[in-house]
């Protein structure tokens, strides 16, 4: 490796020396001829040989000086920043995203490398974030899958007991069924979210009644609000139609309704309203639940995040992630207001 670099240095020196020597020799000969003509003096062979030797020595020194200068210039302005960037990219390839490239942009000629270094550092931060999300996703999926599978396995073993009476058998079978349904919903939501994030599901615009879609989705939770004694207040303006993806929008309100009923205590109130405002259809879903603490609000859109672990058995933390992605694909806006102990208001704005 060192011999190759030395050979390249010699070749670079010769490549610089030859044109410089030719240019210098031509210049000296031209000067001497001009001088001979102007003063009428003819140089002797000895004087010409001495001039040739001095010219050759000067050319060698000039070429060496320039080659040395070029070597250090390449070392400082090319090899060193390239090596730094290469080393950092090698670390990224091995999975270490904690390193960054540091290049002094104040040195002349390093502006472009400094710009590349900033892009590389930005890439490292993004890759680090993606890696963290991937690890968290795998960890959360493993946990969410393990819990219902363990319950199914345990109650499956209990069902095989020979002395099990009919009442216990029905109870255990209903638990296995419920956990199987929970597991199926989890897998469905994971696959659906993955398709949405990778844009494998593209919005299909169609004209449909927003009012009817919200009412139909709300009626699916009738058994839930009746079982908990929740008071449902509705103010849904009729004949509001939009041109958008019916399925993706239905996914938004079904998850918002599910959360509202889940976090509202028995005997509480859930209010749903739909009206026109400033060229938009505005859906409000207000509950009188536990509210969202300040430290939890910045995480509510994250996959598998559940701020209230007491309700973790009623969901898997994918609902609001699905809401956010569906809203992004359909162009809807979703935001919320919340007060701990008083409830949460989610608002969806859809351009008419």
């Amino acid at each position: 490796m060192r011999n190759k670099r030395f050979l390249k240095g010699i070749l670079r020196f010769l490549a610089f020396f030859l044109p410089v020597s030719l240019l210098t020799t031509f210049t000296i000969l031209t000067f001497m001829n001009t001088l001979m003509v102007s003063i009428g003096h003819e140089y002797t062979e000895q004087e010409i040989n001495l001039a040739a030797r001095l010219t050759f020595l000067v050319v060698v020194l000039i070429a060496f000086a320039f080659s040395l200068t070029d070597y250090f210039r390449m070392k400082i302005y090319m090899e060193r920043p390239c090596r730094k960037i290469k080393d950092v990219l090698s670390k990224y390839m091995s999975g270490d995203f904690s390193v960054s490239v540091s290049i002094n942009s104040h040195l002349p000629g390093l502006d472009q490398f400094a710009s590349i270094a900033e892009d590389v550092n930005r890439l490292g931060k993004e890759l680090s974030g993606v890696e963290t999300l991937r690890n968290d996703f795998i960890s959360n999926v493993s946990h969410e899958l393990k819990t219902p599978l363990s319950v199914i396995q345990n109650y499956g073993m209990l069902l095989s007991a020979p002395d099990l009476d009919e009442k216990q058998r029905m109870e255990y079978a209903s638990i296995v069924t419920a956990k199987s349904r929970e597991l199926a919903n989890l897998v469905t939501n994971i696959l659906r979210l993955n398709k949405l994030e990778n844009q494998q599901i593209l919005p299909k615009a169609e004209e449909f009644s927003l009012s009817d879609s919200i009412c139909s989705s709300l009626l699916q939770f009738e058994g839930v609000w009746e079982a908990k004694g929740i008071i449902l207040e509705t103010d849904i303006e009729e004949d509001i139609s939009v041109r958008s993806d019916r399925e993706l929008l239905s996914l938004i309100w079904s998850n918002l309704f599910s959360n509202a009923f889940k976090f509202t205590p028995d005997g509480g109130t859930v209010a749903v309203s739909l009206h026109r405002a400033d060229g938009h259809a505005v859906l409000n879903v207000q509950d009188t639940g536990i509210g969202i603490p300040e430290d939890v609000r910045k995480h509510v859109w994250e996959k598998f995040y559940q701020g209230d672990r007491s309700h973790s058995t009623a969901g898997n933390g994918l609902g609001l992630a699905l809401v956010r992605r569906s809203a992004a694909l359909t162009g809807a806006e979703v935001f919320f207001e919340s007060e701990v102990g008083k409830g949460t208001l989610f608002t969806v704005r859809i351009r008419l």
Side-chain angles (χ1 to χ4, degrees):
M1 185 68 179
R2 185 174 297 177
N3 292 335
K4 287 184 178 180
R5 294 181 63 183
F6 179 75
L7 183 60
K8 286 183 178 180
I10 295 297
L11 292 175
R12 189 160 53 241
F13 173 76
L14 291 175
F16 187 79
F17 170 74
L18 289 175
V20 169
S21 62
L22 290 173
L23 180 61
T24 306
T25 302
F26 176 76
T27 303
I28 293 297
L29 290 175
T30 303
F31 171 74
M32 291 178 70
N33 288 332
T34 304
L35 188 62
M36 282 191 299
V37 172
S38 62
I39 66 176
H41 174 72
E42 187 173 347
Y43 290 103
T44 63
E45 183 179 350
Q46 185 178 1
E47 288 174 332
I48 293 175
N49 288 336
L50 178 61
R53 291 189 184 95
L54 290 175
T55 301
F56 179 78
L57 180 60
V58 169
V59 170
V60 170
L61 291 176
I62 292 175
F64 179 76
F66 275 97
S67 295
L68 194 62
T69 302
D70 183 64
Y71 171 78
F72 285 110
R73 185 186 65 83
M74 293 287 292
K75 199 78 172 176
I76 295 172
Y77 294 101
M78 294 292 291
E79 291 185 15
R80 186 179 296 175
C82 286
R83 186 175 64 251
K84 287 183 177 180
I85 294 173
K86 181 182 177 182
D87 291 343
V88 169
L89 290 176
S90 298
K91 292 287 183 64
Y92 289 171
M93 291 177 64
S94 63
D96 181 9
F97 304 110
S98 62
V99 296
S100 60
V101 186
S102 177
I103 293 178
N104 188 0
S105 59
H106 298 294
L107 291 176
L110 289 181
D111 298 349
Q112 293 298 323
F113 280 109
S115 177
I116 295 173
E118 290 180 3
D119 292 338
V120 171
N121 292 337
R122 193 177 302 112
L123 173 65
K125 290 180 181 179
E126 292 180 359
L127 289 174
S128 178
V130 170
E131 183 69 12
T132 301
L133 287 175
R134 186 180 71 86
N135 291 334
D136 289 346
F137 183 79
I138 293 174
S139 176
N140 287 321
V141 168
S142 301
H143 174 74
E144 295 293 340
L145 290 175
K146 184 178 180 180
T147 302
L149 284 174
S150 298
V151 174
I152 292 172
Q153 183 180 14
N154 292 335
Y155 279 95
M157 293 175 61
L158 291 174
L159 280 170
S160 63
D163 56 344
L164 193 66
D165 58 45
E166 184 65 17
K167 183 179 179 181
Q168 288 179 315
R169 187 182 67 81
M170 293 297 295
E171 179 184 353
Y172 296 164
S174 65
I175 294 175
V176 170
T177 302
K179 288 299 175 181
S180 299
R181 189 179 295 112
E182 178 184 328
L183 190 60
N185 290 336
L186 172 62
V187 173
T188 299
N189 284 336
I190 290 174
L191 293 175
R192 182 181 293 164
L193 184 59
N194 181 64
K195 289 181 178 180
L196 288 173
E197 289 183 336
N198 291 292
Q199 294 191 350
Q200 295 177 9
I201 297 178
L202 298 177
K204 298 178 181 179
E206 61 175 310
E207 191 83 19
F208 68 97
S209 172
L210 200 61
S211 307
D212 292 344
S213 176
I214 291 173
C215 290
S216 298
S217 181
L218 193 56
L219 287 173
Q220 295 177 7
F221 297 91
E222 184 176 4
V224 178
W225 80 65
E226 288 183 349
K228 297 181 68 174
I230 294 174
I231 300 171
L232 178 64
E233 299 178 354
T234 59
D235 181 14
I236 299 176
E237 186 176 335
E238 296 181 357
D239 301 326
I240 297 181
S241 298
V242 295
R243 183 171 180 78
S244 186
D245 189 294
R246 183 198 300 263
E247 183 178 351
L248 289 178
L249 289 181
S250 297
L251 197 60
I252 294 176
W253 19 91
S254 64
N255 278 286
L256 293 182
F257 295 156
S258 175
N259 279 353
F261 291 123
K262 179 170 68 174
F263 291 106
T264 299
D266 294 357
T269 302
V270 172
V272 179
S273 66
L274 176 68
H275 60 276
R276 294 181 176 90
D278 300 327
H280 291 78
V282 181
L283 170 70
N284 290 317
V285 182
Q286 172 82 57
D287 64 58
T288 57
I290 59 176
I292 304 174
E294 187 70 33
D295 59 330
V296 175
R297 293 175 190 176
K298 59 183 178 181
H299 299 290
V300 295
W301 306 112
E302 296 177 8
K303 296 187 288 288
F304 293 106
Y305 187 83
Q306 293 176 288
D308 180 21
R309 300 305 301 177
S310 64
H311 291 79
S312 60
T313 56
N316 46 54
L318 290 176
L320 291 180
L322 286 167
V323 167
R324 187 182 192 183
R325 188 56 187 159
S326 299
L329 288 174
T330 56
E333 299 174 270
V334 183
F335 44 93
F336 67 93
E337 300 173 9
S338 185
E339 188 174 350
V340 176
K342 292 189 176 181
T344 304
L345 167 64
F346 275 91
T347 300
V348 184
R349 284 169 53 89
I350 305 165
R351 184 176 296 278
L352 293 175

